[in-house]
Amino acid sequence: MLYLSQMMGKPVVDATGEKIGTISDLAISTGEVFPRITSLAFQGPGKVPFMISWRKYVEEFDEDGIRLSVPAHDIRFSYLQPEEILLARDLLNRQIVDTQGMKVVRVNDLKLSISGTQLRLLGAEVGARGILRGLAPWLERAVVAVAKVFGKRIDEQIIAWNYMDLLDRDLSEVQLSVTHKRLDELHPADVADILEQLDPQQRANVFQHLDDAQATEAISEMEDEYQADFIEDLDDARAAGLLGSMDPDDAADIVRDLSYEKAETLLRLMGVEDATEIRRLLGYKDGTAGGMMTTQFVSVHATDTVGEVIEVLRELPEDHPTVHYVYVLDEYDEFEGVLSLRTLVLTDDARPVGDVMYEDVISVPPDETEEDVAADIFKYELPAMPVVDEHNMLLGIVTVDDAWDAIEEDVSGDKTKATALKAVGIVLASLLFLGLYTLVLLQVIGYAGR
């Protein structure tokens, strides 16, 4: 095995043994699972940069340098191709996304595999050994040996190339589309985790390579403290489009955390229907059933037949939230009851849903606290709970997912307070110890001076 750090700066000699330069970089073609080294970059006399084909000219190589197969005067120089990237320039000391571990890491070295006259990139070293090796190979060996004496192991931390996705690079659109394709294929929750680990500029660069559907899902999966900041950093047109395509309750939660000027700008840029729905939800106090409910539910009238309701369900768009119940209204649009999907499937198509609906339904007013709503949902094992006003008009529903979110926020807040109190306790204890230590020291000094 070889490492890029071992090869950098080593001599390049021609077929006659004459030194013609030193290694400055290696290029790979990004289209392979474990890509071959395709070009050699080296500095000639006067630090003039050159690039040649690896396949055509490299005969032998090891950690001591590279020997070419032809004399210097027979070399024909080349240029970096559109599908190629340079390992030292584009990867070394850069941040990458580990798409298997779902985290952002820094490349400290690159591990290469020898196969005959070919050299392939296996992956990135992201651990301490890569840092030590970059400083000096003997330092890495010394630290590993000392650790072994004390019964400790310092293992390599290698991320295979096929689990790497590149960030923070200034490359062409073609190269970016290749290197970011794996990020596009991750689950939205994993993409959100990765985006949260990046600084705003890197986050924006990665976000450009997600389509609107992927971007919307990723934002919805982000932690609350990141969502508003992220929307603030986007241009107004795209931010408005993404909010408009989100579930209204999720969009309202984000808009609520934006500055007034930004929120108004985005709401004006949205479609009238989306903006109206979000403004309606913003009218409810945060931390209440009205503030956490969604207005995306399926409602029908008691006089509709089972067959008609099933047809309504079939016509729902693919991105409509999961339907747990169908909510039944009377002729005045007041809430009457619910229908489970099981009831719909087992009932004759011609029967009115008013005959088979379940009427003893637990509901909550919009000003009910989110803690009480969540408690009721879990107590009665409800997938969703309707929210109704004083006139028994159905305003929305709170899903079990919303209830879990409310509980997680409370737990997170309690943990934050506990951590803060623990930190204060440690500081006070440290100050007390320092005070006692100083007092004892002064007494010792006074005693010695007598």
Side-chain angles (χ1 to χ4, degrees):
M1 294 294 177
L2 281 177
Y3 295 89
L4 182 64
S5 61
Q6 295 174 323
M7 301 188 70
M8 298 291 287
K10 296 300 172 64
V12 178
V13 300
D14 69 3
T16 66
E18 179 184 357
K19 180 180 175 180
I20 62 173
T22 57
I23 301 170
S24 61
D25 216 331
L26 301 175
I28 61 168
S29 177
T30 58
E32 299 179 315
V33 175
F34 293 104
R36 290 174 292 108
I37 302 300
T38 52
S39 297
L40 165 66
F42 65 93
Q43 287 186 341
K47 295 188 176 181
V48 177
F50 297 101
M51 181 169 286
I52 61 175
S53 166
W54 182 278
R55 181 179 59 82
K56 287 183 180 179
Y57 296 113
V58 175
E59 183 175 22
E60 296 177 358
F61 59 90
D62 56 28
E63 61 185 39
D64 295 322
I66 291 177
R67 182 183 182 90
L68 304 183
S69 59
V70 298
H73 56 77
D74 288 338
I75 297 174
R76 298 294 179 266
F77 300 106
S78 58
Y79 301 93
L80 193 69
Q81 300 302 306
E83 71 278 4
E84 290 180 318
I85 64 171
L86 291 168
L87 298 187
R89 186 193 71 180
D90 297 325
L91 283 178
L92 195 61
N93 298 320
R94 298 296 185 104
Q95 284 186 305
I96 61 169
V97 173
D98 174 4
T99 59
Q100 186 180 40
M102 308 308 172
K103 58 186 176 183
V104 178
V105 293
R106 195 168 192 85
V107 177
N108 299 321
D109 205 349
L110 291 152
K111 191 170 188 175
L112 308 167
S113 172
I114 302 172
S115 177
T117 58
Q118 287 189 352
L119 192 60
R120 291 182 180 273
L121 173 63
L122 288 185
E125 164 66 74
V126 298
R129 290 185 62 167
I131 298 175
L132 296 171
R133 192 184 306 115
L135 294 172
W138 65 264
L139 182 59
E140 177 205 7
R141 292 192 294 270
V143 172
V144 171
V146 171
K148 190 174 182 180
V149 170
F150 289 96
K152 303 292 183 181
R153 289 172 55 91
I154 304 178
D155 294 324
E156 290 184 325
Q157 296 181 37
I158 303 294
I159 299 175
W161 169 258
N162 54 315
Y163 291 123
M164 290 164 53
D165 208 356
L166 315 185
L167 296 173
D168 196 23
R169 298 186 299 117
D170 183 18
L171 299 176
S172 69
E173 290 183 10
V174 173
Q175 290 167 323
L176 283 173
S177 68
V178 172
T179 57
H180 282 83
K181 63 183 180 182
R182 284 179 292 277
L183 190 63
D184 295 346
E185 295 166 359
L186 295 177
H187 189 280
D190 295 325
V191 176
D193 287 341
I194 289 169
L195 289 173
E196 289 170 3
Q197 300 175 59
L198 304 177
D199 62 44
Q201 183 59 49
Q202 292 172 327
R203 198 178 295 145
N205 290 340
V206 174
F207 205 71
Q208 292 175 3
H209 304 283
L210 301 177
D211 61 34
D212 285 348
Q214 294 166 331
T216 299
E217 291 178 343
I219 293 174
S220 297
E221 295 287 349
M222 283 183 176
E223 296 294 333
D224 293 347
E225 62 264 30
Y226 293 100
Q227 290 178 324
D229 290 342
F230 191 65
I231 291 293
E232 288 272 11
D233 292 335
L234 294 177
D235 66 83
D236 291 343
R238 191 172 193 204
L242 293 176
L243 287 173
S245 60
M246 294 174 67
D247 291 347
D249 57 324
D250 292 334
D253 288 340
I254 296 174
V255 172
R256 189 178 279 113
D257 293 331
L258 297 175
S259 64
Y260 176 79
E261 294 77 11
K262 182 75 170 183
E264 282 300 315
T265 299
L266 299 185
L267 288 169
R268 284 196 296 269
L269 289 173
M270 284 183 207
V272 175
E273 186 176 338
D274 291 331
T276 301
E277 200 62 50
I278 292 172
R279 286 184 188 277
R280 188 165 77 86
L281 289 172
L282 290 172
Y284 296 105
K285 187 178 178 181
D286 193 21
T288 65
M292 67 190 298
M293 72 181 181
T294 179
T295 55
Q296 290 189 302
F297 57 87
V298 178
S299 63
V300 298
H301 286 93
T303 54
D304 294 334
T305 65
V306 169
E308 290 171 336
V309 173
I310 291 175
E311 196 58 38
V312 168
L313 295 176
R314 285 178 178 155
E315 293 176 0
L316 291 175
E318 289 185 9
D319 60 350
H320 192 280
T322 302
V323 176
H324 300 288
Y325 294 118
V326 175
Y327 297 88
V328 183
L329 311 178
D330 65 14
E331 57 185 312
Y332 303 106
D333 287 340
E334 293 182 13
F335 179 54
E336 274 201 318
V338 297
L339 277 170
S340 69
L341 298 186
R342 181 177 183 276
T343 300
L344 285 173
V345 171
L346 297 178
T347 304
D348 183 78
D349 286 356
R351 291 194 67 180
V353 294
D355 293 348
V356 293
M357 68 180 179
Y358 182 73
E359 298 180 68
D360 189 16
V361 180
I362 300 171
S363 61
V364 293
D367 57 355
E368 188 84 4
T369 65
E370 62 180 15
E371 293 83 0
D372 289 341
V373 175
D376 285 343
I377 285 178
F378 294 122
K379 177 180 179 180
Y380 298 108
E381 299 181 348
L382 302 173
M385 177 178 284
V387 181
V388 298
D389 64 13
E390 65 273 18
H391 303 297
N392 204 37
M393 305 297 287
L394 183 60
L395 303 175
I397 61 171
V398 177
T399 67
V400 68
D401 290 338
D402 296 326
W404 275 118
D405 289 342
I407 287 178
E408 287 173 358
E409 288 174 6
D410 288 342
V411 171
S412 176
D414 291 342
K415 285 184 177 179
T416 301
K417 291 177 184 177
T419 302
L421 289 173
K422 186 177 180 180
V424 171
I426 292 172
V427 171
L428 291 175
S430 300
L431 290 173
L432 180 60
F433 174 79
L434 184 61
L436 291 173
Y437 177 80
T438 304
L439 182 61
V440 171
L441 186 61
L442 289 173
Q443 288 178 341
V444 171
I445 293 173
Y447 178 80
R450 290 176 183 177

